[in-house]
Amino acid sequence: MNRRFWSKLALFILACAVVTPYAHADGETQPGRDAKQPIDEAYTAKMKKYTTEPFFTSPLVDYLPASKTVPTPEVVLGDVAGAPGILPYANDVYKYMRLLEKSSPRVKVFSIGTTEEGREMIAVAVSAEANLKKLEENRALLGKLADPRTLELNDAQADKIVAQAVPVYYITGTIHSPETGAPTALMELAYRLAVDESPYVREIREGMITLITPVVEVDGRDRMVDIYKWHLAHPGENYPNLVYWGKYVAHDNNRDAMGVTLKLTENVMNTYVHWNAQVLHDLHESVPYLYDNTIGDGPYNAWIDPILADEWQMIGARNVADMTKFGMPGVFAHGDFDTWSPGYLMFIAALHNGISRLYETFGNGGADTLERTLDPEEYARTWFKQNPPLPKARWSQRDNNNYEETGLLVSLHYFNENKRMFLKNFYTKAKRSIEKPQNEGPVAYVLPADETRLTLQLELLRVLQKQHVEISRVTAALTVALPPKKETKKSGEKKKEEAKEAKKDEKPEPTSKTFPAGSYVIRMDQPYSRIADALLDYQYWSPEDPQKTPYDDTGWTFGELYGVQVARVTDAKILQAPMEVVKELNVPGGVKGEGAVFAIENHAEPALASLRYKLKDADMQAAEEAFEAGGKKFLPGTIVVKGPDRRQLDAATKELGLQPVALPSAPAVKMHPLRAARILLLHTWLSTQTEGWWRLALDKLGIPYDYASTQTIAGAADLRAKYDVILFPPVGWGGSLNAIVNGLPNSWGNPLPWENTSLTPNLVGKNDSTPDMRPGLGWDGVAKLQKFISDGGALLTVMDTTQFAAQAGMSPSVNVASSEKIKIVGAVVGTRLVDGNSPIAYGYGEQVAAYCDSGPVFSLTSIAGSRRRRRLGPEIGERPTGRGSKSDPDFTVGRLGVEAPEEPESEVWETPPVTDEQRHNNPRVIPPALRGRVVLRYADSKDLLISGLVEGGNEIAQHAAVVDAPFGKGHVVMFSINPVWRGETQGTYSLVLNTVMNFDSLNAGRKDPDK
């Protein structure tokens, strides 16, 4: 071998070193650009200019590869992604993605649906051209892994598919509209994945399909861009808070993955399931500088597969390790986010056998570059944050984009390196979901055909259907064995004897249960059994759990919240019963019998209110007493329809699933009109977060209403002339009397407009507008609300707005207090019916499950301005020390005995009676007819918890939960529970709707004391 040979060999090796990937010691591909591929020098220079510190970027994103055919984001943005002063509208983002699709065979754009306001949502697939050409073929392969029944649970067959299928990694951005960085980061990421020829990126492109929805909350994104443009046009001024995001809700749009009530959730859900994706990775902004919060803190959701918990740890730890190696500070996992609630968008994957992922990066709420100063706990070094963020730093949108893109690229690359393992896990989790009946159970859930609330049962089944859960129906009656009831352990001989005696009087527990033909069965031997199990089962969060600050709701049992029967079945023979898969869900409805008078049973179904408004001119009345007709018994609250257009009634009730029964004549019982009341839904400009769920509920039920702010009604001439009922849902924060009356500070600063202008064309949408968000209701507005009630209107208040009503003097018979001892964090609690004759309670039974989030404590009083009688000093539980036995009276030496009058007694939830002494010359004594009427109370302490966390419940147990407080000729109806929440509480909607339809007859069935 001569010198020339060695020289050539050296040159060959050198050349190979340039194009061959650098490798870590463990053989992994080195991140960094391909030296043979030119970079876009001008774009790269701007990226570096806008990056405020060299350690706020990485070798993956400190350059942009050049392409002669594929445009960079600059062609649409006018500058690089993350440039200061630039936030693109959703359509600008889509325009760029479609330019990518047009210029590169490695990109395809799909429309995945529209929002409530009609804006488009898209998904962008980026992968090698060969992969995109075989999308349907690959989707079919992944579909077999997603449903192992197609492979007869054959692991060997699954392994063959795992070896050839291309995984799908789904990334979503900007569900939270003030978190503005993701769209530009995802525009640039799509470009990199399509163009970059570095080995690191090429491996991602060739090995997997990256699916991107760059804007999830499209309506809110366009509003946020409007706000930012207003900010740029008004330098030095305060700019309006983004009070509306989507049409209905703001931050809570990321709590809808259980109820699937919003279009954005449904569109992402359908996309994830249609593509049979393995990962759903959602991008957020709130924490410096990148928090991989999927690992988070305990407790983890009890229904996830343990394999998923391991996958969270693996990917999260690797993300942190890789970015730490790049020298990027502030990258960490763990933290205080618990992964208990399945309501987050990312959790679509977690309970559909995929991997849920979430990043929190550091956003500035716009594209300004700002100096950010952190709190000590944010920059403190901890065991899980060894390289914390800087205490103070200049931070830009470009910095944020660098972190987002780097985090995604290292995650994508690690996933691709281990894709065969993750694909096999995807299959294994689906297989284990199918094998659930023979492992942890249960075998099935049954929703019986003899349900009285069939329309609510239908709504619950529709939620499961949106979750892509298979629903079956038995074709014959079915009897299943019930698990034996566990006996409560009692210690001590005395307790054993007590238990033995008590057992003599007890009826034996049934050992089986029969379900009629037509009952719905949610089988657990299906791929998506976990989400069904999670929604239908009960939850328990221990007060002793080390996690003391639950991140969101702790309980959500859907059967309880919908007020329908759901049976958890552990008898495996149910799976052998004859049943058919249900494709279309409906409830039979329509008129039965001949006649001119019809009765519709009232089982507290919201569809009854829909009917009232569909046939707003029909003569509908509510029976105040039970009656019998045609051999059938009808309960109080039954709706009697007189002389309707039969065809209209039949068509409307068929659509709604209601069954009017013809009567030979109108019942001879007391009745009152059922009104299609004129409704105003009242909001503040402090927050529209929680009331949005109320608007959504009314819209879905087809119930018309006006929508106005506290500012608007303050200027109204006569509220009662225009409205019958005002609904004032929870404000959510700042719902105090001071905040509602005074609004935001307006004695300094500039006006905060929320109006459509040429600068802000998207702000108002389908919602409200104002030239200045700062003013509140004002004291004139309070007076107008009081007059509205006094003149016969009904004001319905909930949680914090009940406190407002009480503090404003609108409910003198009800005291409302907060408590620091109660810790009920978004839980399902038990309530008990107190007054079934109240029209508010029509259709409800003795026990009602309700959603509670540390609701206010109601105490009723007979004397205005006073609370329940309190004694000074310790409570006197027994008689004082003296003569005689425990039950004998004491005496006074040298004086004739005098019998003491009996102390008046009342239950916790009741209005205390007035003594003769209190009544004497006391103008504050409230007349009996104007005292509060308790409709529902909280259950006893031992029965309060149904699902979730209840700690310190003694303080609210037995207290009133729903009160009808007369005021003048009208009523203030007060809810300590929240009856309308996230589309999940449909079982308590009718407490609101009954109030609305009976607003001028709420005194029906009322029984007042003589004094």
Side-chain angles (χ1 to χ4, degrees):
M1 295 183 184
N2 56 29
R3 184 179 297 173
R4 183 181 238 179
F5 170 82
W6 289 111
S7 299
K8 286 183 177 179
L9 181 61
L11 286 170
F12 174 76
I13 293 171
L14 184 62
C16 288
V18 172
V19 298
T20 309
Y22 293 102
H24 293 296
D26 55 8
E28 293 176 358
T29 305
Q30 179 77 20
R33 58 168 293 218
D34 178 4
K36 290 182 68 178
Q37 184 178 22
I39 65 170
D40 187 318
E41 299 284 357
Y43 194 105
T44 300
K46 287 182 180 179
M47 285 165 41
K48 290 181 177 178
K49 177 184 176 182
Y50 301 145
T51 299
T52 61
E53 295 287 355
F55 43 77
F56 288 160
T57 188
S58 74
L60 290 170
V61 298
D62 62 0
Y63 69 95
L64 193 81
S67 171
K68 294 180 180 178
T69 57
V70 181
T72 71
E74 191 169 11
V75 299
V76 169
L77 299 176
D79 207 331
V80 305
I86 296 176
L87 282 187
Y89 286 109
N91 275 338
D92 295 327
V93 179
Y94 297 173
K95 179 181 178 182
Y96 177 69
M97 293 301 194
R98 288 187 164 113
L99 283 174
L100 277 183
E101 179 185 38
K102 189 175 181 180
S103 60
S104 172
R106 297 169 175 175
V107 180
K108 283 189 177 295
V109 179
F110 301 87
S111 185
I112 62 171
T114 58
T115 67
E116 283 82 1
E117 295 186 359
R119 292 179 176 88
E120 184 187 23
M121 290 178 65
I122 67 169
V124 183
V126 188
S127 190
E129 184 176 359
N131 292 336
L132 294 184
K133 283 181 178 178
K134 297 181 178 179
L135 279 181
E136 286 305 309
E137 180 183 328
N138 187 68
R139 192 172 71 83
L141 288 174
L142 293 175
K144 292 180 179 180
L145 299 181
D147 187 356
R149 294 172 300 182
T150 61
L151 303 174
E152 299 180 342
L153 308 188
N154 187 310
D155 294 353
Q157 291 297 316
D159 288 340
K160 291 179 182 177
I161 295 173
V162 165
Q164 57 181 313
V166 179
V168 177
Y169 195 112
Y170 188 17
I171 302 167
T172 53
T174 314
I175 186 173
H176 283 167
S177 304
E179 300 167 9
T180 56
T184 49
L186 293 172
M187 291 166 73
E188 191 173 277
L189 178 71
Y191 174 88
R192 292 180 187 280
L193 291 173
V195 169
D196 199 334
E197 295 299 335
S198 70
Y200 194 93
V201 175
R202 192 173 66 241
E203 287 173 8
I204 296 170
R205 181 172 61 243
E206 293 175 354
M208 58 196 296
I209 297 165
T210 303
L211 192 65
I212 300 170
T213 292
V215 184
V216 173
E217 177 53 275
V218 187
D219 299 333
R221 173 66 182 190
D222 285 359
R223 291 190 178 98
M224 184 64 206
V225 175
D226 278 3
I227 290 287
Y228 186 66
K229 287 189 172 182
W230 191 96
H231 158 63
L232 293 178
H234 299 80
E237 294 188 23
N238 293 320
Y239 50 89
N241 174 47
L242 193 68
V243 70
Y244 293 103
W245 299 11
K247 179 180 178 181
Y248 293 114
V249 295
H251 189 272
D252 257 16
N253 59 9
N254 192 36
R255 303 295 186 272
D256 187 47
M258 287 191 278
V260 197
T261 61
L262 302 175
K263 289 286 189 183
L264 63 84
T265 316
E266 190 172 357
N267 293 339
V268 171
M269 171 85 70
N270 291 340
T271 302
Y272 176 83
V273 172
H274 173 78
W275 283 77
N276 297 307
Q278 284 64 62
V279 182
L280 177 54
H281 193 149
D282 198 25
L283 300 183
H284 289 254
E285 297 170 21
S286 69
V287 177
Y289 295 128
L290 188 150
Y291 174 28
D292 186 334
N293 83 345
T294 319
I295 297 176
D297 196 1
Y300 283 0
N301 181 276
W303 292 267
I304 64 166
D305 193 303
I307 293 173
L308 173 60
D310 295 338
E311 291 170 323
W312 285 342
Q313 303 287 340
M314 292 164 60
I315 304 177
R318 183 54 188 269
N319 283 188
V320 174
D322 282 356
M323 294 181 73
T324 301
K325 288 177 188 175
F326 295 152
M328 303 177 80
V331 180
F332 65 101
H334 299 289
D336 60 2
F337 172 79
D338 67 76
T339 312
W340 174 252
S341 167
Y344 312 109
L345 188 76
M346 66 165 178
F347 237 80
I348 289 171
L351 291 177
H352 290 78
N353 303 318
I355 303 172
S356 53
R357 306 271 291 121
L358 191 147
Y359 283 164
E360 295 276 7
T361 56
F362 202 36
N364 287 340
D368 290 358
T369 300
L370 302 172
E371 189 169 90
R372 303 293 299 272
T373 302
L374 307 186
D375 293 331
E377 61 267 23
E378 290 181 301
Y379 60 77
R381 187 178 63 82
T382 67
W383 69 268
F384 59 84
K385 197 189 295 183
Q386 290 292 327
N387 184 11
L390 280 63
K392 190 173 185 178
R394 284 184 71 248
W395 186 261
S396 67
Q397 179 96 312
R398 183 65 224 182
D399 296 331
N400 185 27
N401 282 184
N402 289 340
Y403 270 76
E404 288 172 309
E405 290 185 59
T406 301
L408 288 169
L409 285 167
V410 298
S411 187
L412 288 165
H413 193 265
Y414 177 71
F415 187 88
N416 181 65
E417 285 181 318
N418 298 278
K419 63 186 173 186
R420 303 304 167 203
M421 176 191 69
F422 288 123
L423 281 169
K424 185 62 181 286
N425 284 354
F426 180 64
Y427 161 80
T428 303
K429 286 181 287 187
K431 180 183 176 183
R432 283 157 59 123
S433 295
I434 293 165
E435 293 174 336
K436 191 173 179 55
Q438 66 249 40
N439 293 325
E440 74 272 22
V443 172
Y445 286 91
V446 178
L447 283 72
D450 57 3
E451 172 64 57
T452 56
R453 295 174 171 173
L454 287 174
T455 60
L456 281 168
Q457 183 188 75
L458 175 68
E459 291 303 313
L460 175 50
L461 289 167
R462 282 175 173 161
V463 172
L464 294 173
Q465 199 170 56
K466 285 182 178 180
Q467 294 280 1
H468 296 266
V469 171
E470 295 170 6
I471 300 168
S472 302
R473 205 169 190 183
V474 292
T475 55
L478 170 70
T479 301
V480 298
L482 297 177
K485 190 174 182 180
K486 290 184 178 179
E487 291 189 16
T488 305
K489 291 183 180 179
K490 294 196 175 185
S491 59
E493 288 301 318
K494 187 177 178 182
K495 288 185 177 178
K496 285 180 183 177
E497 285 301 316
E498 287 174 0
K500 193 175 180 181
E501 285 299 315
K503 231 175 179 183
K504 288 179 183 177
D505 301 324
E506 283 182 10
K507 291 181 180 179
E509 290 286 336
T511 58
S512 65
K513 185 173 178 63
T514 299
F515 300 105
S519 295
Y520 292 98
V521 179
I522 312 301
R523 301 171 64 106
M524 291 292 101
D525 57 346
Q526 60 169 301
Y528 298 149
S529 62
R530 293 193 187 284
I531 181 60
D533 195 18
L535 296 183
L536 300 177
D537 206 351
Y538 289 80
Q539 298 78 42
Y540 177 70
W541 184 302
S542 170
E544 303 303 318
D545 195 284
Q547 174 63 271
K548 297 303 179 186
T549 54
Y551 202 80
D552 201 66
D553 287 349
T554 59
W556 52 81
T557 306
F558 269 42
E560 297 284 358
L561 291 175
Y562 276 70
V564 299
Q565 304 173 69
V566 176
R568 188 177 190 267
V569 177
T570 57
D571 185 352
K573 78 175 184 181
I574 193 174
L575 298 180
Q576 308 306 317
M579 62 182 77
E580 54 193 16
V581 176
V582 177
K583 297 296 183 187
E584 291 187 16
L585 291 166
N586 59 73
V587 172
V591 174
K592 296 186 181 301
E594 297 296 328
V597 179
F598 300 87
I600 306 172
E601 291 185 270
N602 190 337
H603 296 296
E605 296 171 275
L608 295 170
S610 299
L611 179 67
R612 171 64 282 188
Y613 282 89
K614 269 184 179 293
L615 306 178
K616 60 185 178 65
D617 296 324
D619 180 359
M620 293 189 189
Q621 299 194 24
E624 296 180 12
E625 305 163 20
F627 65 91
E628 190 170 337
K632 185 177 177 64
K633 292 182 178 179
F634 295 89
L635 297 176
T638 295
I639 297 174
V640 178
V641 189
K642 297 180 179 180
D645 182 314
R646 183 187 173 98
R647 285 179 301 177
Q648 285 186 349
L649 181 63
D650 188 57
T653 52
K654 278 180 178 175
E655 180 185 340
L656 295 170
L658 299 171
Q659 297 183 7
V661 177
L663 302 180
S665 61
V669 295
K670 191 173 182 181
M671 295 189 284
H672 63 256
L674 197 70
R675 308 291 192 188
R678 301 167 299 167
I679 302 171
L680 170 66
L681 198 147
L682 183 63
H683 74 90
T684 70
W685 286 104
L686 301 169
S687 171
T688 64
Q689 167 65 34
T690 307
E691 55 86 2
W693 294 115
W694 289 62
R695 287 186 281 119
L696 178 59
L698 292 174
D699 284 348
K700 289 199 170 185
L701 290 167
I703 296 175
Y705 60 94
D706 282 354
Y707 181 60
S709 73
T710 49
Q711 292 178 3
T712 302
I713 70 164
D718 185 352
L719 288 172
R720 185 66 189 92
K722 194 172 182 182
Y723 302 111
D724 303 312
V725 178
I726 295 178
L727 304 178
F728 198 5
V731 174
W733 68 273
S736 65
L737 174 69
N738 176 63
I740 291 173
V741 170
N742 295 320
L744 296 171
N746 53 43
S747 58
W748 63 83
N750 55 276
L752 302 175
W754 189 274
E755 295 178 307
N756 278 356
T757 66
S758 58
L759 188 63
T760 57
N762 304 288
L763 278 191
V764 176
K766 307 290 184 183
N767 298 315
D768 204 356
S769 64
T770 178
D772 188 0
M773 294 165 57
R774 297 175 302 163
L777 176 64
W779 291 107
D780 286 346
V782 172
K784 288 182 178 179
L785 263 183
Q786 289 175 328
K787 186 175 186 304
F788 164 80
I789 306 163
S790 293
D791 289 349
L795 173 67
L796 187 147
T797 59
V798 186
M799 297 174 68
D800 56 10
T801 58
T802 66
Q803 294 177 310
F804 156 77
Q807 292 166 359
M810 299 176 192
S811 61
S813 62
V814 184
N815 293 310
V816 181
S818 300
S819 172
E820 295 180 0
K821 295 179 182 178
I822 298 172
K823 192 174 183 181
I824 303 177
V825 185
V828 187
V829 300
T831 70
R832 300 292 181 262
L833 185 64
V834 174
D835 190 345
N837 291 320
S838 166
I840 296 170
Y842 284 166
Y844 285 97
E846 292 299 316
Q847 300 183 12
V848 180
Y851 174 86
C852 179
D853 191 31
S854 292
V857 181
F858 295 162
S859 296
L860 275 69
T861 181
S862 307
I863 303 173
S866 74
R867 298 186 179 275
R868 225 176 232 282
R869 247 182 113 195
R870 297 179 66 186
R871 294 182 176 89
L872 294 175
E875 289 287 328
I876 300 176
E878 297 180 354
R879 58 155 285 188
T881 302
R883 67 148 296 276
S885 67
K886 183 178 179 181
S887 58
D888 286 334
D890 199 359
F891 62 34
T892 300
V893 175
R895 193 177 84 186
L896 287 174
V898 179
E899 189 174 342
E902 284 190 16
E903 282 271 332
E905 293 184 357
S906 61
E907 299 287 359
V908 171
W909 62 87
E910 292 179 329
T911 300
V914 183
T915 65
D916 290 340
E917 190 72 18
Q918 291 171 324
R919 190 178 296 108
H920 178 67
N921 193 33
N922 190 349
R924 294 191 297 120
V925 173
I926 302 170
L930 294 179
R931 294 175 193 167
R933 181 184 188 184
V934 177
V935 181
L936 291 177
R937 68 168 177 89
Y938 285 103
D940 298 352
S941 182
K942 64 183 178 60
D943 300 318
L944 189 59
L945 172 65
I946 293 178
S947 273
L949 168 65
V950 172
E951 186 176 359
N954 284 338
E955 196 167 355
I956 203 169
Q958 296 191 333
H959 279 265
V962 180
V963 181
D964 172 11
F967 186 82
K969 296 177 184 177
H971 297 259
V972 178
V973 180
M974 310 172 77
F975 285 78
S976 173
I977 59 172
N978 188 349
V980 181
W981 178 244
R982 294 180 177 173
E984 300 169 9
T985 61
Q986 296 192 37
T988 48
Y989 280 10
S990 287
L991 293 169
V992 174
L993 301 172
N994 283 345
T995 303
V996 169
M997 294 186 291
N998 298 277
F999 80 93
D1000 57 351
S1001 299
L1002 291 178
N1003 284 332
R1006 181 183 177 108
K1007 294 177 181 177
D1008 294 318
D1010 295 333
K1011 295 182 180 180

